[in-house]
Amino acid sequence: MTLIERSPEGAVAIGPIDKLLNLARKHSLWYLLFGTACCAIELMQTGGPRADADRFGMMFRSSPRQADVLILAGTITYKMASRIRLLYEQMAEPRYVIAMGSCACTGGLFQKSYAVVNGGDLFLPVDVYIPGCPPRPEALLEGLLVVQQKVAAEPWLKKIQGKVPAKPDPALPREC
Amino acid sequence: MEASEIKKRLEELLSSELVWKIGEKQTGDGWVEIPLEKWTEACRLARDDEKLLFEFLRALSGVDRPGENNIELVAHLFSYRHRHAVVLKTKVSRENPVAASVCSVWPAAEWYEREIFDLLGVNFREHPDLRRILLPEDWPGHPLRKDYQQPASYRGIPTSRPAPEGSAS
């Protein structure tokens, strides 16, 4: 984006429409307030005044229909996986998924359990992985900033016209 | 009452010989073995008898013992009135795991028995609502059986994850 004039009323910038749209999108990443285990405590802290995700335009939402980011916070059991998938499918496009903590990344401590999914990426398209048990709010915040970078780099207009292939989704049958 | 006295009292009430055992290391709680066909009767007598009064079912659990080809049901009982405790055990065959429910004795047994049904596959006769309590309804098998084999996937989700390259396991 190029700044072309600065005046007392404000600055005028000219740039590609993608960049302008993405600038707006990346500063309103609303995440779903949803957790399945102890990582959710850190998720709540991230929304609190100390980490203050709000300064980046990240607000928690109680409804998946208003959320842009699904944060997998905690151990995911097979029983829960279908419910999480339902939440994901209720979210409007574009939507992003963060696997927060060891459990959501790989199953973590409970990987050998018969009831625990060995990683959120086995049933959801995960964008960002955050290791840690649990990750500190700073780490989650960094993960959210990585989502911002992804958003900023997206050719959004091409994407909504269907010119960019969609992210591979592990729950959908693959074309090969 | 001491465990040996409780055992004696149960023998009187059931008018049959019972076995009292303690673990190999001679520590911890001993237990009284009850024949399967007298399980509900023994529990009811243990609750109602003036000298025993085990009105509180602390826990009811199951243990799979493939070596002995049976599943043990373990009931931990406590009496608030007499401040004494006892462990009752009974054995159910692994091939045909059917036991009588003790829900009519202690209503708290309902969820315990559902858990044992869910994880070990023991069927309880006369249980008011015998269905899985922890796992999803369409779960294959009973995972606390020692010979349980997990299927390769559940509802399209793979149940294993390849180890990253260069890792130890």
Side-chain angles (χ1 to χ4, degrees), chain B residues 12-39:
Chain B
E12 282 169 30
L13 291 168
L14 287 169
S15 58
S16 64
E17 293 270 309
L18 296 175
V19 189
W20 188 80
K21 282 187 180 168
I22 193 157
E24 280 168 25
K25 289 177 182 165
Q26 301 290 312
T27 54
D29 295 335
W31 66 88
V32 182
E33 289 206 356
I34 309 282
L36 181 61
E37 64 276 7
K38 294 198 174 174
W39 179 240

PDB file of all heavy atoms in Angstrom, chain B residues 12-39:
ATOM      1  N   GLU B  12     -23.521 -66.270  58.293  1.00  0.00           N
ATOM      2  CA  GLU B  12     -24.742 -66.600  59.029  1.00  0.00           C
ATOM      3  C   GLU B  12     -25.977 -66.222  58.229  1.00  0.00           C
ATOM      4  O   GLU B  12     -26.931 -66.986  58.099  1.00  0.00           O
ATOM      5  CB  GLU B  12     -24.777 -65.834  60.358  1.00  0.00           C
ATOM      6  CG  GLU B  12     -23.888 -66.417  61.441  1.00  0.00           C
ATOM      7  CD  GLU B  12     -23.772 -65.447  62.612  1.00  0.00           C
ATOM      8  OE1 GLU B  12     -24.735 -64.683  62.865  1.00  0.00           O
ATOM      9  OE2 GLU B  12     -22.709 -65.453  63.246  1.00  0.00           O
ATOM     10  N   LEU B  13     -25.945 -64.990  57.670  1.00  0.00           N
ATOM     11  CA  LEU B  13     -27.117 -64.481  56.972  1.00  0.00           C
ATOM     12  C   LEU B  13     -27.401 -65.273  55.713  1.00  0.00           C
ATOM     13  O   LEU B  13     -28.553 -65.558  55.379  1.00  0.00           O
ATOM     14  CB  LEU B  13     -26.912 -63.006  56.612  1.00  0.00           C
ATOM     15  CG  LEU B  13     -26.891 -62.033  57.790  1.00  0.00           C
ATOM     16  CD1 LEU B  13     -26.389 -60.681  57.340  1.00  0.00           C
ATOM     17  CD2 LEU B  13     -28.274 -61.897  58.402  1.00  0.00           C
ATOM     18  N   LEU B  14     -26.344 -65.630  54.985  1.00  0.00           N
ATOM     19  CA  LEU B  14     -26.527 -66.356  53.732  1.00  0.00           C
ATOM     20  C   LEU B  14     -26.599 -67.857  53.960  1.00  0.00           C
ATOM     21  O   LEU B  14     -26.886 -68.606  53.036  1.00  0.00           O
ATOM     22  CB  LEU B  14     -25.371 -66.052  52.766  1.00  0.00           C
ATOM     23  CG  LEU B  14     -25.354 -64.670  52.121  1.00  0.00           C
ATOM     24  CD1 LEU B  14     -24.042 -64.429  51.421  1.00  0.00           C
ATOM     25  CD2 LEU B  14     -26.496 -64.529  51.132  1.00  0.00           C
ATOM     26  N   SER B  15     -26.303 -68.286  55.191  1.00  0.00           N
ATOM     27  CA  SER B  15     -26.210 -69.707  55.569  1.00  0.00           C
ATOM     28  C   SER B  15     -25.396 -70.507  54.557  1.00  0.00           C
ATOM     29  O   SER B  15     -25.832 -71.529  54.039  1.00  0.00           O
ATOM     30  CB  SER B  15     -27.596 -70.320  55.789  1.00  0.00           C
ATOM     31  OG  SER B  15     -28.373 -70.201  54.637  1.00  0.00           O
ATOM     32  N   SER B  16     -24.224 -69.945  54.205  1.00  0.00           N
ATOM     33  CA  SER B  16     -23.291 -70.711  53.380  1.00  0.00           C
ATOM     34  C   SER B  16     -21.871 -70.222  53.678  1.00  0.00           C
ATOM     35  O   SER B  16     -21.675 -69.108  54.175  1.00  0.00           O
ATOM     36  CB  SER B  16     -23.608 -70.550  51.893  1.00  0.00           C
ATOM     37  OG  SER B  16     -23.423 -69.210  51.511  1.00  0.00           O
ATOM     38  N   GLU B  17     -20.897 -71.084  53.347  1.00  0.00           N
ATOM     39  CA  GLU B  17     -19.489 -70.751  53.595  1.00  0.00           C
ATOM     40  C   GLU B  17     -19.030 -69.683  52.608  1.00  0.00           C
ATOM     41  O   GLU B  17     -19.348 -69.753  51.420  1.00  0.00           O
ATOM     42  CB  GLU B  17     -18.629 -72.005  53.409  1.00  0.00           C
ATOM     43  CG  GLU B  17     -18.867 -73.070  54.450  1.00  0.00           C
ATOM     44  CD  GLU B  17     -17.944 -72.895  55.648  1.00  0.00           C
ATOM     45  OE1 GLU B  17     -16.733 -72.771  55.429  1.00  0.00           O
ATOM     46  OE2 GLU B  17     -18.457 -72.879  56.786  1.00  0.00           O
ATOM     47  N   LEU B  18     -18.286 -68.707  53.099  1.00  0.00           N
ATOM     48  CA  LEU B  18     -17.722 -67.696  52.216  1.00  0.00           C
ATOM     49  C   LEU B  18     -16.206 -67.714  52.353  1.00  0.00           C
ATOM     50  O   LEU B  18     -15.658 -68.266  53.296  1.00  0.00           O
ATOM     51  CB  LEU B  18     -18.251 -66.303  52.579  1.00  0.00           C
ATOM     52  CG  LEU B  18     -19.756 -66.065  52.410  1.00  0.00           C
ATOM     53  CD1 LEU B  18     -20.112 -64.686  52.925  1.00  0.00           C
ATOM     54  CD2 LEU B  18     -20.179 -66.200  50.967  1.00  0.00           C
ATOM     55  N   VAL B  19     -15.533 -67.102  51.366  1.00  0.00           N
ATOM     56  CA  VAL B  19     -14.066 -67.054  51.398  1.00  0.00           C
ATOM     57  C   VAL B  19     -13.648 -65.630  51.703  1.00  0.00           C
ATOM     58  O   VAL B  19     -14.157 -64.680  51.100  1.00  0.00           O
ATOM     59  CB  VAL B  19     -13.478 -67.492  50.041  1.00  0.00           C
ATOM     60  CG1 VAL B  19     -11.974 -67.656  50.141  1.00  0.00           C
ATOM     61  CG2 VAL B  19     -14.129 -68.779  49.581  1.00  0.00           C
ATOM     62  N   TRP B  20     -12.747 -65.490  52.677  1.00  0.00           N
ATOM     63  CA  TRP B  20     -12.194 -64.167  52.943  1.00  0.00           C
ATOM     64  C   TRP B  20     -10.759 -64.158  52.484  1.00  0.00           C
ATOM     65  O   TRP B  20      -9.983 -65.045  52.825  1.00  0.00           O
ATOM     66  CB  TRP B  20     -12.273 -63.844  54.441  1.00  0.00           C
ATOM     67  CG  TRP B  20     -11.890 -62.426  54.734  1.00  0.00           C
ATOM     68  CD1 TRP B  20     -12.670 -61.328  54.583  1.00  0.00           C
ATOM     69  CD2 TRP B  20     -10.625 -61.953  55.221  1.00  0.00           C
ATOM     70  NE1 TRP B  20     -11.989 -60.197  54.929  1.00  0.00           N
ATOM     71  CE2 TRP B  20     -10.723 -60.550  55.326  1.00  0.00           C
ATOM     72  CE3 TRP B  20      -9.419 -62.568  55.567  1.00  0.00           C
ATOM     73  CZ2 TRP B  20      -9.681 -59.764  55.772  1.00  0.00           C
ATOM     74  CZ3 TRP B  20      -8.375 -61.787  56.004  1.00  0.00           C
ATOM     75  CH2 TRP B  20      -8.505 -60.394  56.103  1.00  0.00           C
ATOM     76  N   LYS B  21     -10.376 -63.187  51.670  1.00  0.00           N
ATOM     77  CA  LYS B  21      -9.027 -63.159  51.093  1.00  0.00           C
ATOM     78  C   LYS B  21      -8.388 -61.808  51.335  1.00  0.00           C
ATOM     79  O   LYS B  21      -9.056 -60.804  51.543  1.00  0.00           O
ATOM     80  CB  LYS B  21      -9.094 -63.408  49.580  1.00  0.00           C
ATOM     81  CG  LYS B  21      -9.283 -64.854  49.206  1.00  0.00           C
ATOM     82  CD  LYS B  21      -9.176 -65.019  47.726  1.00  0.00           C
ATOM     83  CE  LYS B  21      -9.366 -66.465  47.319  1.00  0.00           C
ATOM     84  NZ  LYS B  21      -9.551 -66.588  45.876  1.00  0.00           N
ATOM     85  N   ILE B  22      -7.059 -61.817  51.267  1.00  0.00           N
ATOM     86  CA  ILE B  22      -6.315 -60.561  51.310  1.00  0.00           C
ATOM     87  C   ILE B  22      -5.228 -60.661  50.253  1.00  0.00           C
ATOM     88  O   ILE B  22      -4.826 -61.762  49.876  1.00  0.00           O
ATOM     89  CB  ILE B  22      -5.774 -60.287  52.734  1.00  0.00           C
ATOM     90  CG1 ILE B  22      -5.280 -58.848  52.845  1.00  0.00           C
ATOM     91  CG2 ILE B  22      -4.709 -61.286  53.144  1.00  0.00           C
ATOM     92  CD1 ILE B  22      -5.254 -58.320  54.250  1.00  0.00           C
ATOM     93  N   GLY B  23      -4.796 -59.493  49.733  1.00  0.00           N
ATOM     94  CA  GLY B  23      -3.814 -59.486  48.641  1.00  0.00           C
ATOM     95  C   GLY B  23      -2.519 -60.184  49.006  1.00  0.00           C
ATOM     96  O   GLY B  23      -2.242 -60.429  50.181  1.00  0.00           O
ATOM     97  N   GLU B  24      -1.691 -60.472  47.984  1.00  0.00           N
ATOM     98  CA  GLU B  24      -0.450 -61.226  48.195  1.00  0.00           C
ATOM     99  C   GLU B  24       0.477 -60.587  49.201  1.00  0.00           C
ATOM    100  O   GLU B  24       1.163 -61.267  49.963  1.00  0.00           O
ATOM    101  CB  GLU B  24       0.295 -61.348  46.851  1.00  0.00           C
ATOM    102  CG  GLU B  24      -0.255 -62.438  45.959  1.00  0.00           C
ATOM    103  CD  GLU B  24       0.295 -62.346  44.548  1.00  0.00           C
ATOM    104  OE1 GLU B  24       1.394 -61.797  44.396  1.00  0.00           O
ATOM    105  OE2 GLU B  24      -0.398 -62.814  43.634  1.00  0.00           O
ATOM    106  N   LYS B  25       0.501 -59.266  49.226  1.00  0.00           N
ATOM    107  CA  LYS B  25       1.421 -58.579  50.146  1.00  0.00           C
ATOM    108  C   LYS B  25       0.833 -58.438  51.550  1.00  0.00           C
ATOM    109  O   LYS B  25       1.454 -57.819  52.421  1.00  0.00           O
ATOM    110  CB  LYS B  25       1.765 -57.205  49.596  1.00  0.00           C
ATOM    111  CG  LYS B  25       2.671 -57.276  48.379  1.00  0.00           C
ATOM    112  CD  LYS B  25       2.944 -55.903  47.811  1.00  0.00           C
ATOM    113  CE  LYS B  25       3.817 -56.025  46.575  1.00  0.00           C
ATOM    114  NZ  LYS B  25       3.832 -54.787  45.796  1.00  0.00           N
ATOM    115  N   GLN B  26      -0.320 -58.990  51.788  1.00  0.00           N
ATOM    116  CA  GLN B  26      -0.967 -58.941  53.098  1.00  0.00           C
ATOM    117  C   GLN B  26      -1.247 -57.518  53.561  1.00  0.00           C
ATOM    118  O   GLN B  26      -1.286 -57.230  54.751  1.00  0.00           O
ATOM    119  CB  GLN B  26      -0.101 -59.662  54.153  1.00  0.00           C
ATOM    120  CG  GLN B  26       0.176 -61.118  53.843  1.00  0.00           C
ATOM    121  CD  GLN B  26      -1.057 -61.992  53.977  1.00  0.00           C
ATOM    122  OE1 GLN B  26      -1.765 -61.908  54.981  1.00  0.00           O
ATOM    123  NE2 GLN B  26      -1.345 -62.782  52.981  1.00  0.00           N
ATOM    124  N   THR B  27      -1.364 -56.611  52.603  1.00  0.00           N
ATOM    125  CA  THR B  27      -1.678 -55.227  52.978  1.00  0.00           C
ATOM    126  C   THR B  27      -2.976 -54.825  52.302  1.00  0.00           C
ATOM    127  O   THR B  27      -3.468 -55.504  51.416  1.00  0.00           O
ATOM    128  CB  THR B  27      -0.569 -54.265  52.525  1.00  0.00           C
ATOM    129  OG1 THR B  27      -0.360 -54.469  51.131  1.00  0.00           O
ATOM    130  CG2 THR B  27       0.727 -54.507  53.270  1.00  0.00           C
ATOM    131  N   GLY B  28      -3.491 -53.692  52.714  1.00  0.00           N
ATOM    132  CA  GLY B  28      -4.717 -53.176  52.113  1.00  0.00           C
ATOM    133  C   GLY B  28      -5.935 -53.909  52.642  1.00  0.00           C
ATOM    134  O   GLY B  28      -5.867 -54.692  53.587  1.00  0.00           O
ATOM    135  N   ASP B  29      -7.069 -53.644  52.001  1.00  0.00           N
ATOM    136  CA  ASP B  29      -8.324 -54.246  52.441  1.00  0.00           C
ATOM    137  C   ASP B  29      -8.398 -55.699  52.007  1.00  0.00           C
ATOM    138  O   ASP B  29      -8.024 -56.037  50.897  1.00  0.00           O
ATOM    139  CB  ASP B  29      -9.509 -53.492  51.819  1.00  0.00           C
ATOM    140  CG  ASP B  29      -9.585 -52.063  52.310  1.00  0.00           C
ATOM    141  OD1 ASP B  29      -9.079 -51.823  53.414  1.00  0.00           O
ATOM    142  OD2 ASP B  29     -10.149 -51.216  51.609  1.00  0.00           O
ATOM    143  N   GLY B  30      -8.888 -56.530  52.863  1.00  0.00           N
ATOM    144  CA  GLY B  30      -9.260 -57.874  52.435  1.00  0.00           C
ATOM    145  C   GLY B  30     -10.625 -57.813  51.784  1.00  0.00           C
ATOM    146  O   GLY B  30     -11.278 -56.778  51.787  1.00  0.00           O
ATOM    147  N   TRP B  31     -11.046 -58.933  51.217  1.00  0.00           N
ATOM    148  CA  TRP B  31     -12.371 -58.928  50.610  1.00  0.00           C
ATOM    149  C   TRP B  31     -13.077 -60.243  50.845  1.00  0.00           C
ATOM    150  O   TRP B  31     -12.440 -61.260  51.124  1.00  0.00           O
ATOM    151  CB  TRP B  31     -12.290 -58.614  49.121  1.00  0.00           C
ATOM    152  CG  TRP B  31     -11.596 -59.637  48.289  1.00  0.00           C
ATOM    153  CD1 TRP B  31     -12.159 -60.727  47.714  1.00  0.00           C
ATOM    154  CD2 TRP B  31     -10.213 -59.692  47.932  1.00  0.00           C
ATOM    155  NE1 TRP B  31     -11.234 -61.440  47.025  1.00  0.00           N
ATOM    156  CE2 TRP B  31     -10.021 -60.828  47.132  1.00  0.00           C
ATOM    157  CE3 TRP B  31      -9.116 -58.873  48.225  1.00  0.00           C
ATOM    158  CZ2 TRP B  31      -8.789 -61.184  46.618  1.00  0.00           C
ATOM    159  CZ3 TRP B  31      -7.892 -59.226  47.704  1.00  0.00           C
ATOM    160  CH2 TRP B  31      -7.732 -60.367  46.906  1.00  0.00           C
ATOM    161  N   VAL B  32     -14.392 -60.178  50.718  1.00  0.00           N
ATOM    162  CA  VAL B  32     -15.211 -61.366  50.883  1.00  0.00           C
ATOM    163  C   VAL B  32     -15.730 -61.765  49.515  1.00  0.00           C
ATOM    164  O   VAL B  32     -16.277 -60.934  48.796  1.00  0.00           O
ATOM    165  CB  VAL B  32     -16.386 -61.092  51.845  1.00  0.00           C
ATOM    166  CG1 VAL B  32     -17.204 -62.362  52.044  1.00  0.00           C
ATOM    167  CG2 VAL B  32     -15.880 -60.581  53.176  1.00  0.00           C
ATOM    168  N   GLU B  33     -15.538 -63.033  49.156  1.00  0.00           N
ATOM    169  CA  GLU B  33     -16.016 -63.486  47.853  1.00  0.00           C
ATOM    170  C   GLU B  33     -17.432 -64.024  47.972  1.00  0.00           C
ATOM    171  O   GLU B  33     -17.713 -64.862  48.831  1.00  0.00           O
ATOM    172  CB  GLU B  33     -15.093 -64.566  47.296  1.00  0.00           C
ATOM    173  CG  GLU B  33     -13.773 -63.980  46.868  1.00  0.00           C
ATOM    174  CD  GLU B  33     -13.096 -64.808  45.792  1.00  0.00           C
ATOM    175  OE1 GLU B  33     -13.615 -65.884  45.437  1.00  0.00           O
ATOM    176  OE2 GLU B  33     -12.045 -64.365  45.331  1.00  0.00           O
ATOM    177  N   ILE B  34     -18.303 -63.539  47.117  1.00  0.00           N
ATOM    178  CA  ILE B  34     -19.718 -63.913  47.132  1.00  0.00           C
ATOM    179  C   ILE B  34     -19.985 -64.710  45.857  1.00  0.00           C
ATOM    180  O   ILE B  34     -19.563 -64.290  44.779  1.00  0.00           O
ATOM    181  CB  ILE B  34     -20.612 -62.652  47.140  1.00  0.00           C
ATOM    182  CG1 ILE B  34     -20.187 -61.679  48.244  1.00  0.00           C
ATOM    183  CG2 ILE B  34     -22.076 -63.012  47.237  1.00  0.00           C
ATOM    184  CD1 ILE B  34     -20.628 -62.032  49.619  1.00  0.00           C
ATOM    185  N   PRO B  35     -20.687 -65.830  45.938  1.00  0.00           N
ATOM    186  CA  PRO B  35     -21.073 -66.526  44.701  1.00  0.00           C
ATOM    187  C   PRO B  35     -22.004 -65.644  43.872  1.00  0.00           C
ATOM    188  O   PRO B  35     -22.820 -64.891  44.435  1.00  0.00           O
ATOM    189  CB  PRO B  35     -21.811 -67.774  45.198  1.00  0.00           C
ATOM    190  CG  PRO B  35     -21.505 -67.885  46.633  1.00  0.00           C
ATOM    191  CD  PRO B  35     -21.153 -66.530  47.141  1.00  0.00           C
ATOM    192  N   LEU B  36     -21.861 -65.738  42.540  1.00  0.00           N
ATOM    193  CA  LEU B  36     -22.602 -64.831  41.644  1.00  0.00           C
ATOM    194  C   LEU B  36     -24.107 -64.891  41.873  1.00  0.00           C
ATOM    195  O   LEU B  36     -24.788 -63.868  41.875  1.00  0.00           O
ATOM    196  CB  LEU B  36     -22.257 -65.179  40.192  1.00  0.00           C
ATOM    197  CG  LEU B  36     -22.928 -64.309  39.124  1.00  0.00           C
ATOM    198  CD1 LEU B  36     -22.531 -62.862  39.288  1.00  0.00           C
ATOM    199  CD2 LEU B  36     -22.556 -64.804  37.738  1.00  0.00           C
ATOM    200  N   GLU B  37     -24.637 -66.103  42.098  1.00  0.00           N
ATOM    201  CA  GLU B  37     -26.095 -66.226  42.212  1.00  0.00           C
ATOM    202  C   GLU B  37     -26.632 -65.587  43.491  1.00  0.00           C
ATOM    203  O   GLU B  37     -27.808 -65.296  43.608  1.00  0.00           O
ATOM    204  CB  GLU B  37     -26.535 -67.692  42.085  1.00  0.00           C
ATOM    205  CG  GLU B  37     -26.039 -68.631  43.169  1.00  0.00           C
ATOM    206  CD  GLU B  37     -24.636 -69.174  42.899  1.00  0.00           C
ATOM    207  OE1 GLU B  37     -24.003 -68.704  41.931  1.00  0.00           O
ATOM    208  OE2 GLU B  37     -24.177 -70.046  43.654  1.00  0.00           O
ATOM    209  N   LYS B  38     -25.727 -65.348  44.475  1.00  0.00           N
ATOM    210  CA  LYS B  38     -26.190 -64.728  45.718  1.00  0.00           C
ATOM    211  C   LYS B  38     -25.806 -63.259  45.821  1.00  0.00           C
ATOM    212  O   LYS B  38     -25.905 -62.657  46.897  1.00  0.00           O
ATOM    213  CB  LYS B  38     -25.586 -65.492  46.911  1.00  0.00           C
ATOM    214  CG  LYS B  38     -26.100 -66.906  46.996  1.00  0.00           C
ATOM    215  CD  LYS B  38     -25.866 -67.479  48.357  1.00  0.00           C
ATOM    216  CE  LYS B  38     -26.542 -68.835  48.431  1.00  0.00           C
ATOM    217  NZ  LYS B  38     -26.260 -69.529  49.672  1.00  0.00           N
ATOM    218  N   TRP B  39     -25.325 -62.685  44.723  1.00  0.00           N
ATOM    219  CA  TRP B  39     -24.768 -61.326  44.742  1.00  0.00           C
ATOM    220  C   TRP B  39     -25.785 -60.309  45.268  1.00  0.00           C
ATOM    221  O   TRP B  39     -25.536 -59.604  46.243  1.00  0.00           O
ATOM    222  CB  TRP B  39     -24.303 -60.975  43.333  1.00  0.00           C
ATOM    223  CG  TRP B  39     -23.714 -59.620  43.138  1.00  0.00           C
ATOM    224  CD1 TRP B  39     -24.183 -58.660  42.301  1.00  0.00           C
ATOM    225  CD2 TRP B  39     -22.541 -59.068  43.756  1.00  0.00           C
ATOM    226  NE1 TRP B  39     -23.375 -57.555  42.350  1.00  0.00           N
ATOM    227  CE2 TRP B  39     -22.371 -57.768  43.237  1.00  0.00           C
ATOM    228  CE3 TRP B  39     -21.643 -59.524  44.713  1.00  0.00           C
ATOM    229  CZ2 TRP B  39     -21.327 -56.934  43.623  1.00  0.00           C
ATOM    230  CZ3 TRP B  39     -20.592 -58.700  45.094  1.00  0.00           C
ATOM    231  CH2 TRP B  39     -20.446 -57.420  44.562  1.00  0.00           C
TER     232      TRP B  39
END
